[in-house]
Amino acid sequence: MIEGKTIIRSDDLRAENRHRVLLTLRTEGPLSRARVGKITGLSQASLSTLLSAMTEEGIVTSKNSQLPSSARRGRPQTIVALDPLAAVAVTVALTADMLHTCLIDYAGKVIHKQNLSIETRALSESTLCNTVNKEITKALGKFQGTPCCAIAFGFEGVTDSVAGDLLWSPILTTSNIPIALSLEKKFKVPVTVQNDCRLIAKALHHSRYDELGDSFAAILFSHGIGMGMYLHGEPFSGAHSSALELGHIPFELDGALCRCGKNGCIEAYASDYGILRALNGSPALTEPALRIQQEQIKSMLNDGKKLSKQAQQVFTTAGRAIGHGMATIYTLFDPIPVALIGRSDTINDLMMDDIRATLQSSVRGTDKLDKLIHCFDDDGGLMQQGLALEATASIDRQYAYRRDLNAVKTC
Amino acid sequence: MIEGKTIIRSDDLRAENRHRVLLTLRTEGPLSRARVGKITGLSQASLSTLLSAMTEEGIVTSKNSQLPSSARRGRPQTIVALDPLAAVAVTVALTADMLHTCLIDYAGKVIHKQNLSIETRALSESTLCNTVNKEITKALGKFQGTPCCAIAFGFEGVTDSVAGDLLWSPILTTSNIPIALSLEKKFKVPVTVQNDCRLIAKALHHSRYDELGDSFAAILFSHGIGMGMYLHGEPFSGAHSSALELGHIPFELDGALCRCGKNGCIEAYASDYGILRALNGSPALTEPALRIQQEQIKSMLNDGKKLSKQAQQVFTTAGRAIGHGMATIYTLFDPIPVALIGRSDTINDLMMDDIRATLQSSVRGTDKLDKLIHCFDDDGGLMQQGLALEATASIDRQYAYRRDLNAVKTC
DNA sequence: CGATTTATTTCACGACTAAAAAAAATAATG
DNA sequence: CATTATTTTTTTTAGTCGTGAAATAAATCG
């Protein structure tokens, strides 16, 4: 599931350089061989060998630049690019009561999409695996001729992303499901399992690099509160794989009841269920609601007009909780750009001032705060994009590191 | 100051493998060529070339195993080891009113030691640089014939360890001192600058690997509260180099005054000055003391006998603050072993219960807490060990990565 | 003293580089 | 307009590095 990146042998070096070329083409798009050399740092000589081999293998396409002779003089460039037909992959996103399945090509483009309504909390382990199985098979049936090379699975919850286990999810009633193992057995291709926050961070790192840069945090506001992070261009996930639980940083000793069973977590104040509970005037120790529609919260806000003092207080507390979390992040990881995903209306209108005030009162060097906080809304597109990146990255690894260049699996 | 570890060319690979061999010899001690192969994963063929070259260069010694023919049959091993005479390095530790300078050999052994009393808070930037300069020159005079290849500088405070700047230190009144630049200009050798916590973490990673493993945190109790961390065998220091400020995680909104100027930091409750202030019964907003002798705290504890309710409360609060910090660490980095360094008597007797209780009430999965918390005392030896590791690692890098194998600098 | 065992070195082959050569276009010039 | 110079890109060539396999070295065992 994870490639041991120990480069010792000459072969490893070749594989690594193949990988470098593929990643460059993926992020930069079609390029001339010369530019690939500039970007990767590889010599033209090596690229000559590498690229002809990969063209031979059908991984990249190579065509003469069609610039209509407007161009500068000199030998015209040949443009190389990832061949979309080199592979297909399947992405599966499990969200509350919905299973989204996509078929994508090697360039990452969605070529088929299908959604299935299911009652997630009623699923047993085997039913879940079987349903996913069936959906993938169905999707693969829509496009034949190219081998399927990867499956990427995403959901809200806790993973063991090394083993590919789904450890716990708020939208399920079962836990510890070895979903990767099950799918790998069936489809004989690498399966990656990631939670929504890591996928969203991955998508942002790819599509919002200009704003967020190499190191940033993505805080996800939905039923719970999640976080993903990149540090120095690499996804960060702690010592094991279940860290970065921003929502469960202790905020108040013996405070409000959290979904996790503990008291006083940030999530208990700033999540959908925490906010709704407080807006309803329910005691802070009331068992968290299982499922909330965004509309339930919106309807309590009188369309943004003249909030009651009590409601204002709810959002002030939520803002302080988030501010406390961000202050803690800034203290432990250094001040980095933060993307706040989802609920951007209430965040901007009702919480931002308290977030800022809390941050500024507890962290030094947060003067340029405005440049650090970015708000985005998301309709699930980021997770889908993250899954596509995950799947294509898996294929890149396979194509870069494979030793037996003739054996291409078909499923 | 930091080696870009991008392996692209065959040369990089060779350098990387030289490095691998040196690191193996450093951590494992003298080994047969065969065992070096087993551990590094390199082929005997490569080792043959690499090791003869390095013997030639005078970096490693190579001698026949002197096991008195008791051994197994087969060709006897030749034992290779780092040659202590390959280089010397200087370590400099700046602590409160004291400058500790050591000369060490390539094996890391201290071959000369000298201490200088100075009033650190009275030092100007240039006086500091000059004093350090003189001490290093003096130390180098004690042992001639081998080139000096590295200087490692350590102190309590905030560094820019990439640039090698001393950004801020509680024991100084000046700040933003480009100490590495100054020393590099004078001695023409690489200079590393690290703070005490990172050095101590480095020393622990080397000498306490069995207990602490690949990922651990080291929390340092002294005048302030500091932290160092290793994750997956690598030192962790956040997005920039001044992160991991455990002591400045916000603990209470608008709480006690911290040395950093903010209110409610963990340090304001659990550091030497925070505890003494509270034991004295001074208001929590009293300006923190600049300098405290451990005895001042000890003398207030009546030799551990029958603590006053008020004093007990002080340590309970301190324990809760630390527990809060550790809970936050466990939430963001996953539960990992934690080494508590210094003040082990008061920690064990007066704070541990509250630390445990706070942790258990705010983090899930901290059942095996006893296996995660380790207490050590330290008299400065860890920092010295960290500096030696830092310096020898710098020489290893130079010897591994240098291209011009004949030019050896002398100073 | 040959057989066996273990450790190290030698050799043929693939991989990456720098430098030289080749390829393929435009610009300049008589 | 043909021919040469210039520019840019790509390929070829000679050299170095790491590997697996074979060869060599140096000991003990029977």
Side-chain angles (χ1 to χ4, degrees), chain B residues 221-251:
Chain B
F221 293 85
S222 65
H223 190 70
I225 292 197
M227 180 162 73
M229 190 181 281
Y230 266 69
L231 287 180
H232 303 297
E234 294 292 323
F236 177 84
S237 43
H240 317 121
S241 62
S242 51
L244 284 183
E245 287 289 359
L246 178 79
H248 301 289
I249 291 179
F251 174 56

PDB file of all heavy atoms in Angstrom, chain B residues 221-251:
ATOM      1  N   PHE B 221      11.467  20.189  31.349  1.00  0.00           N
ATOM      2  CA  PHE B 221      11.033  21.073  32.425  1.00  0.00           C
ATOM      3  C   PHE B 221      12.221  21.844  32.950  1.00  0.00           C
ATOM      4  O   PHE B 221      13.116  21.269  33.556  1.00  0.00           O
ATOM      5  CB  PHE B 221      10.421  20.258  33.567  1.00  0.00           C
ATOM      6  CG  PHE B 221       9.140  19.603  33.190  1.00  0.00           C
ATOM      7  CD1 PHE B 221       9.132  18.382  32.549  1.00  0.00           C
ATOM      8  CD2 PHE B 221       7.936  20.215  33.462  1.00  0.00           C
ATOM      9  CE1 PHE B 221       7.948  17.774  32.189  1.00  0.00           C
ATOM     10  CE2 PHE B 221       6.737  19.616  33.110  1.00  0.00           C
ATOM     11  CZ  PHE B 221       6.735  18.394  32.472  1.00  0.00           C
ATOM     12  N   SER B 222      12.227  23.136  32.725  1.00  0.00           N
ATOM     13  CA  SER B 222      13.275  23.932  33.355  1.00  0.00           C
ATOM     14  C   SER B 222      12.668  25.302  33.617  1.00  0.00           C
ATOM     15  O   SER B 222      11.509  25.368  34.021  1.00  0.00           O
ATOM     16  CB  SER B 222      14.516  23.992  32.481  1.00  0.00           C
ATOM     17  OG  SER B 222      14.251  24.679  31.295  1.00  0.00           O
ATOM     18  N   HIS B 223      13.454  26.350  33.397  1.00  0.00           N
ATOM     19  CA  HIS B 223      12.868  27.653  33.661  1.00  0.00           C
ATOM     20  C   HIS B 223      11.583  27.817  32.836  1.00  0.00           C
ATOM     21  O   HIS B 223      10.566  28.273  33.336  1.00  0.00           O
ATOM     22  CB  HIS B 223      13.865  28.758  33.344  1.00  0.00           C
ATOM     23  CG  HIS B 223      13.402  30.088  33.819  1.00  0.00           C
ATOM     24  ND1 HIS B 223      13.341  30.394  35.154  1.00  0.00           N
ATOM     25  CD2 HIS B 223      12.958  31.171  33.160  1.00  0.00           C
ATOM     26  CE1 HIS B 223      12.873  31.620  35.292  1.00  0.00           C
ATOM     27  NE2 HIS B 223      12.635  32.111  34.098  1.00  0.00           N
ATOM     28  N   GLY B 224      11.651  27.445  31.571  1.00  0.00           N
ATOM     29  CA  GLY B 224      10.453  27.379  30.741  1.00  0.00           C
ATOM     30  C   GLY B 224      10.099  25.938  30.496  1.00  0.00           C
ATOM     31  O   GLY B 224      10.586  25.041  31.164  1.00  0.00           O
ATOM     32  N   ILE B 225       9.220  25.723  29.513  1.00  0.00           N
ATOM     33  CA  ILE B 225       8.862  24.360  29.152  1.00  0.00           C
ATOM     34  C   ILE B 225       9.083  24.203  27.659  1.00  0.00           C
ATOM     35  O   ILE B 225       8.523  24.960  26.862  1.00  0.00           O
ATOM     36  CB  ILE B 225       7.398  24.059  29.513  1.00  0.00           C
ATOM     37  CG1 ILE B 225       7.296  24.042  31.036  1.00  0.00           C
ATOM     38  CG2 ILE B 225       6.950  22.750  28.906  1.00  0.00           C
ATOM     39  CD1 ILE B 225       6.071  23.386  31.543  1.00  0.00           C
ATOM     40  N   GLY B 226       9.893  23.237  27.293  1.00  0.00           N
ATOM     41  CA  GLY B 226      10.192  23.047  25.877  1.00  0.00           C
ATOM     42  C   GLY B 226       9.853  21.651  25.431  1.00  0.00           C
ATOM     43  O   GLY B 226       9.554  20.777  26.246  1.00  0.00           O
ATOM     44  N   MET B 227       9.889  21.457  24.120  1.00  0.00           N
ATOM     45  CA  MET B 227       9.596  20.116  23.615  1.00  0.00           C
ATOM     46  C   MET B 227      10.395  19.836  22.356  1.00  0.00           C
ATOM     47  O   MET B 227      10.638  20.721  21.529  1.00  0.00           O
ATOM     48  CB  MET B 227       8.107  19.966  23.316  1.00  0.00           C
ATOM     49  CG  MET B 227       7.751  18.582  22.776  1.00  0.00           C
ATOM     50  SD  MET B 227       5.996  18.192  22.894  1.00  0.00           S
ATOM     51  CE  MET B 227       5.367  19.232  21.615  1.00  0.00           C
ATOM     52  N   GLY B 228      10.818  18.597  22.243  1.00  0.00           N
ATOM     53  CA  GLY B 228      11.408  18.100  21.011  1.00  0.00           C
ATOM     54  C   GLY B 228      10.653  16.853  20.602  1.00  0.00           C
ATOM     55  O   GLY B 228       9.977  16.250  21.425  1.00  0.00           O
ATOM     56  N   MET B 229      10.720  16.477  19.337  1.00  0.00           N
ATOM     57  CA  MET B 229       9.934  15.326  18.898  1.00  0.00           C
ATOM     58  C   MET B 229      10.597  14.588  17.744  1.00  0.00           C
ATOM     59  O   MET B 229      11.236  15.207  16.898  1.00  0.00           O
ATOM     60  CB  MET B 229       8.542  15.803  18.456  1.00  0.00           C
ATOM     61  CG  MET B 229       7.564  14.669  18.216  1.00  0.00           C
ATOM     62  SD  MET B 229       5.951  15.282  17.661  1.00  0.00           S
ATOM     63  CE  MET B 229       5.244  15.819  19.198  1.00  0.00           C
ATOM     64  N   TYR B 230      10.476  13.295  17.763  1.00  0.00           N
ATOM     65  CA  TYR B 230      10.852  12.479  16.615  1.00  0.00           C
ATOM     66  C   TYR B 230       9.592  11.795  16.101  1.00  0.00           C
ATOM     67  O   TYR B 230       8.778  11.316  16.875  1.00  0.00           O
ATOM     68  CB  TYR B 230      11.893  11.422  17.008  1.00  0.00           C
ATOM     69  CG  TYR B 230      13.305  11.892  16.773  1.00  0.00           C
ATOM     70  CD1 TYR B 230      13.857  12.893  17.552  1.00  0.00           C
ATOM     71  CD2 TYR B 230      14.076  11.331  15.752  1.00  0.00           C
ATOM     72  CE1 TYR B 230      15.143  13.339  17.323  1.00  0.00           C
ATOM     73  CE2 TYR B 230      15.366  11.763  15.527  1.00  0.00           C
ATOM     74  CZ  TYR B 230      15.897  12.772  16.307  1.00  0.00           C
ATOM     75  OH  TYR B 230      17.166  13.213  16.073  1.00  0.00           O
ATOM     76  N   LEU B 231       9.413  11.783  14.792  1.00  0.00           N
ATOM     77  CA  LEU B 231       8.306  11.051  14.173  1.00  0.00           C
ATOM     78  C   LEU B 231       8.879  10.159  13.084  1.00  0.00           C
ATOM     79  O   LEU B 231       9.601  10.643  12.208  1.00  0.00           O
ATOM     80  CB  LEU B 231       7.276  12.004  13.566  1.00  0.00           C
ATOM     81  CG  LEU B 231       6.377  12.772  14.527  1.00  0.00           C
ATOM     82  CD1 LEU B 231       5.416  13.665  13.755  1.00  0.00           C
ATOM     83  CD2 LEU B 231       5.606  11.815  15.422  1.00  0.00           C
ATOM     84  N   HIS B 232       8.592   8.882  13.174  1.00  0.00           N
ATOM     85  CA  HIS B 232       9.087   7.931  12.180  1.00  0.00           C
ATOM     86  C   HIS B 232      10.605   8.036  12.028  1.00  0.00           C
ATOM     87  O   HIS B 232      11.127   7.988  10.915  1.00  0.00           O
ATOM     88  CB  HIS B 232       8.417   8.156  10.825  1.00  0.00           C
ATOM     89  CG  HIS B 232       6.928   8.061  10.890  1.00  0.00           C
ATOM     90  ND1 HIS B 232       6.273   6.905  11.237  1.00  0.00           N
ATOM     91  CD2 HIS B 232       5.961   8.984  10.681  1.00  0.00           C
ATOM     92  CE1 HIS B 232       4.966   7.115  11.218  1.00  0.00           C
ATOM     93  NE2 HIS B 232       4.745   8.373  10.894  1.00  0.00           N
ATOM     94  N   GLY B 233      11.276   8.211  13.142  1.00  0.00           N
ATOM     95  CA  GLY B 233      12.737   8.232  13.119  1.00  0.00           C
ATOM     96  C   GLY B 233      13.368   9.532  12.664  1.00  0.00           C
ATOM     97  O   GLY B 233      14.584   9.637  12.587  1.00  0.00           O
ATOM     98  N   GLU B 234      12.530  10.537  12.372  1.00  0.00           N
ATOM     99  CA  GLU B 234      13.073  11.825  11.923  1.00  0.00           C
ATOM    100  C   GLU B 234      12.719  12.912  12.917  1.00  0.00           C
ATOM    101  O   GLU B 234      11.612  12.919  13.453  1.00  0.00           O
ATOM    102  CB  GLU B 234      12.475  12.196  10.560  1.00  0.00           C
ATOM    103  CG  GLU B 234      12.867  11.275   9.424  1.00  0.00           C
ATOM    104  CD  GLU B 234      14.338  11.410   9.091  1.00  0.00           C
ATOM    105  OE1 GLU B 234      14.856  12.546   9.161  1.00  0.00           O
ATOM    106  OE2 GLU B 234      14.975  10.381   8.796  1.00  0.00           O
ATOM    107  N   PRO B 235      13.634  13.839  13.165  1.00  0.00           N
ATOM    108  CA  PRO B 235      13.285  14.959  14.033  1.00  0.00           C
ATOM    109  C   PRO B 235      12.173  15.774  13.391  1.00  0.00           C
ATOM    110  O   PRO B 235      12.203  16.031  12.194  1.00  0.00           O
ATOM    111  CB  PRO B 235      14.582  15.767  14.123  1.00  0.00           C
ATOM    112  CG  PRO B 235      15.390  15.351  12.957  1.00  0.00           C
ATOM    113  CD  PRO B 235      14.993  13.937  12.643  1.00  0.00           C
ATOM    114  N   PHE B 236      11.184  16.119  14.202  1.00  0.00           N
ATOM    115  CA  PHE B 236      10.064  16.899  13.680  1.00  0.00           C
ATOM    116  C   PHE B 236      10.181  18.314  14.182  1.00  0.00           C
ATOM    117  O   PHE B 236      10.421  18.547  15.360  1.00  0.00           O
ATOM    118  CB  PHE B 236       8.748  16.282  14.145  1.00  0.00           C
ATOM    119  CG  PHE B 236       7.549  17.069  13.700  1.00  0.00           C
ATOM    120  CD1 PHE B 236       7.011  16.874  12.441  1.00  0.00           C
ATOM    121  CD2 PHE B 236       6.974  18.023  14.531  1.00  0.00           C
ATOM    122  CE1 PHE B 236       5.916  17.603  12.013  1.00  0.00           C
ATOM    123  CE2 PHE B 236       5.878  18.758  14.113  1.00  0.00           C
ATOM    124  CZ  PHE B 236       5.348  18.548  12.851  1.00  0.00           C
ATOM    125  N   SER B 237      10.039  19.287  13.281  1.00  0.00           N
ATOM    126  CA  SER B 237      10.023  20.652  13.789  1.00  0.00           C
ATOM    127  C   SER B 237       9.072  21.564  13.046  1.00  0.00           C
ATOM    128  O   SER B 237       9.358  22.730  12.836  1.00  0.00           O
ATOM    129  CB  SER B 237      11.433  21.234  13.829  1.00  0.00           C
ATOM    130  OG  SER B 237      12.141  20.912  12.662  1.00  0.00           O
ATOM    131  N   GLY B 238       7.943  21.024  12.642  1.00  0.00           N
ATOM    132  CA  GLY B 238       6.879  21.866  12.108  1.00  0.00           C
ATOM    133  C   GLY B 238       7.156  22.427  10.735  1.00  0.00           C
ATOM    134  O   GLY B 238       8.063  21.996  10.036  1.00  0.00           O
ATOM    135  N   ALA B 239       6.359  23.403  10.362  1.00  0.00           N
ATOM    136  CA  ALA B 239       6.439  23.946   9.013  1.00  0.00           C
ATOM    137  C   ALA B 239       7.690  24.805   8.862  1.00  0.00           C
ATOM    138  O   ALA B 239       8.388  24.734   7.869  1.00  0.00           O
ATOM    139  CB  ALA B 239       5.198  24.760   8.708  1.00  0.00           C
ATOM    140  N   HIS B 240       7.966  25.624   9.847  1.00  0.00           N
ATOM    141  CA  HIS B 240       9.214  26.356   9.852  1.00  0.00           C
ATOM    142  C   HIS B 240      10.051  25.708  10.935  1.00  0.00           C
ATOM    143  O   HIS B 240       9.910  24.529  11.166  1.00  0.00           O
ATOM    144  CB  HIS B 240       8.937  27.841  10.072  1.00  0.00           C
ATOM    145  CG  HIS B 240       7.770  28.310   9.258  1.00  0.00           C
ATOM    146  ND1 HIS B 240       6.646  28.869   9.795  1.00  0.00           N
ATOM    147  CD2 HIS B 240       7.521  28.192   7.933  1.00  0.00           C
ATOM    148  CE1 HIS B 240       5.775  29.109   8.832  1.00  0.00           C
ATOM    149  NE2 HIS B 240       6.289  28.706   7.690  1.00  0.00           N
ATOM    150  N   SER B 241      10.927  26.417  11.596  1.00  0.00           N
ATOM    151  CA  SER B 241      11.716  25.655  12.561  1.00  0.00           C
ATOM    152  C   SER B 241      11.432  26.031  14.002  1.00  0.00           C
ATOM    153  O   SER B 241      12.109  25.600  14.902  1.00  0.00           O
ATOM    154  CB  SER B 241      13.209  25.820  12.257  1.00  0.00           C
ATOM    155  OG  SER B 241      13.567  27.173  12.389  1.00  0.00           O
ATOM    156  N   SER B 242      10.383  26.807  14.225  1.00  0.00           N
ATOM    157  CA  SER B 242      10.167  27.266  15.591  1.00  0.00           C
ATOM    158  C   SER B 242       8.869  26.733  16.191  1.00  0.00           C
ATOM    159  O   SER B 242       8.243  27.379  17.005  1.00  0.00           O
ATOM    160  CB  SER B 242      10.166  28.786  15.621  1.00  0.00           C
ATOM    161  OG  SER B 242       9.273  29.282  14.654  1.00  0.00           O
ATOM    162  N   ALA B 243       8.481  25.541  15.766  1.00  0.00           N
ATOM    163  CA  ALA B 243       7.202  25.011  16.219  1.00  0.00           C
ATOM    164  C   ALA B 243       7.364  24.208  17.504  1.00  0.00           C
ATOM    165  O   ALA B 243       8.330  24.359  18.225  1.00  0.00           O
ATOM    166  CB  ALA B 243       6.605  24.150  15.128  1.00  0.00           C
ATOM    167  N   LEU B 244       6.393  23.358  17.748  1.00  0.00           N
ATOM    168  CA  LEU B 244       6.428  22.459  18.908  1.00  0.00           C
ATOM    169  C   LEU B 244       6.507  23.203  20.229  1.00  0.00           C
ATOM    170  O   LEU B 244       7.103  22.710  21.179  1.00  0.00           O
ATOM    171  CB  LEU B 244       7.619  21.502  18.792  1.00  0.00           C
ATOM    172  CG  LEU B 244       7.455  20.366  17.799  1.00  0.00           C
ATOM    173  CD1 LEU B 244       8.675  19.474  17.847  1.00  0.00           C
ATOM    174  CD2 LEU B 244       6.207  19.569  18.090  1.00  0.00           C
ATOM    175  N   GLU B 245       5.913  24.382  20.281  1.00  0.00           N
ATOM    176  CA  GLU B 245       5.976  25.155  21.516  1.00  0.00           C
ATOM    177  C   GLU B 245       4.922  24.685  22.505  1.00  0.00           C
ATOM    178  O   GLU B 245       3.967  25.397  22.810  1.00  0.00           O
ATOM    179  CB  GLU B 245       5.807  26.646  21.202  1.00  0.00           C
ATOM    180  CG  GLU B 245       7.019  27.263  20.545  1.00  0.00           C
ATOM    181  CD  GLU B 245       8.199  27.391  21.516  1.00  0.00           C
ATOM    182  OE1 GLU B 245       8.061  27.021  22.690  1.00  0.00           O
ATOM    183  OE2 GLU B 245       9.274  27.837  21.071  1.00  0.00           O
ATOM    184  N   LEU B 246       5.133  23.497  23.015  1.00  0.00           N
ATOM    185  CA  LEU B 246       4.200  22.921  23.976  1.00  0.00           C
ATOM    186  C   LEU B 246       3.883  23.898  25.100  1.00  0.00           C
ATOM    187  O   LEU B 246       2.735  24.049  25.512  1.00  0.00           O
ATOM    188  CB  LEU B 246       4.789  21.646  24.582  1.00  0.00           C
ATOM    189  CG  LEU B 246       3.916  20.977  25.639  1.00  0.00           C
ATOM    190  CD1 LEU B 246       2.812  20.182  24.980  1.00  0.00           C
ATOM    191  CD2 LEU B 246       4.725  20.093  26.565  1.00  0.00           C
ATOM    192  N   GLY B 247       4.922  24.567  25.581  1.00  0.00           N
ATOM    193  CA  GLY B 247       4.732  25.471  26.713  1.00  0.00           C
ATOM    194  C   GLY B 247       3.776  26.616  26.420  1.00  0.00           C
ATOM    195  O   GLY B 247       3.230  27.228  27.332  1.00  0.00           O
ATOM    196  N   HIS B 248       3.579  26.893  25.131  1.00  0.00           N
ATOM    197  CA  HIS B 248       2.734  28.037  24.786  1.00  0.00           C
ATOM    198  C   HIS B 248       1.406  27.646  24.161  1.00  0.00           C
ATOM    199  O   HIS B 248       0.720  28.472  23.567  1.00  0.00           O
ATOM    200  CB  HIS B 248       3.523  29.005  23.906  1.00  0.00           C
ATOM    201  CG  HIS B 248       4.756  29.490  24.591  1.00  0.00           C
ATOM    202  ND1 HIS B 248       4.720  30.354  25.656  1.00  0.00           N
ATOM    203  CD2 HIS B 248       6.063  29.188  24.418  1.00  0.00           C
ATOM    204  CE1 HIS B 248       5.957  30.587  26.092  1.00  0.00           C
ATOM    205  NE2 HIS B 248       6.787  29.881  25.359  1.00  0.00           N
ATOM    206  N   ILE B 249       1.049  26.373  24.296  1.00  0.00           N
ATOM    207  CA  ILE B 249      -0.321  25.983  23.961  1.00  0.00           C
ATOM    208  C   ILE B 249      -1.239  26.706  24.933  1.00  0.00           C
ATOM    209  O   ILE B 249      -0.978  26.728  26.142  1.00  0.00           O
ATOM    210  CB  ILE B 249      -0.514  24.459  24.124  1.00  0.00           C
ATOM    211  CG1 ILE B 249       0.275  23.709  23.054  1.00  0.00           C
ATOM    212  CG2 ILE B 249      -1.983  24.085  24.066  1.00  0.00           C
ATOM    213  CD1 ILE B 249       0.145  22.206  23.169  1.00  0.00           C
ATOM    214  N   PRO B 250      -2.289  27.329  24.441  1.00  0.00           N
ATOM    215  CA  PRO B 250      -3.198  28.009  25.369  1.00  0.00           C
ATOM    216  C   PRO B 250      -3.899  27.018  26.288  1.00  0.00           C
ATOM    217  O   PRO B 250      -4.419  26.008  25.827  1.00  0.00           O
ATOM    218  CB  PRO B 250      -4.200  28.706  24.440  1.00  0.00           C
ATOM    219  CG  PRO B 250      -4.051  28.060  23.105  1.00  0.00           C
ATOM    220  CD  PRO B 250      -2.663  27.525  23.034  1.00  0.00           C
ATOM    221  N   PHE B 251      -3.848  27.304  27.568  1.00  0.00           N
ATOM    222  CA  PHE B 251      -4.469  26.410  28.552  1.00  0.00           C
ATOM    223  C   PHE B 251      -5.693  27.062  29.176  1.00  0.00           C
ATOM    224  O   PHE B 251      -6.746  26.463  29.277  1.00  0.00           O
ATOM    225  CB  PHE B 251      -3.431  26.045  29.617  1.00  0.00           C
ATOM    226  CG  PHE B 251      -3.980  25.258  30.762  1.00  0.00           C
ATOM    227  CD1 PHE B 251      -4.656  24.054  30.543  1.00  0.00           C
ATOM    228  CD2 PHE B 251      -3.816  25.694  32.073  1.00  0.00           C
ATOM    229  CE1 PHE B 251      -5.152  23.306  31.614  1.00  0.00           C
ATOM    230  CE2 PHE B 251      -4.311  24.955  33.135  1.00  0.00           C
ATOM    231  CZ  PHE B 251      -4.982  23.768  32.906  1.00  0.00           C
TER     232      PHE B 251
END
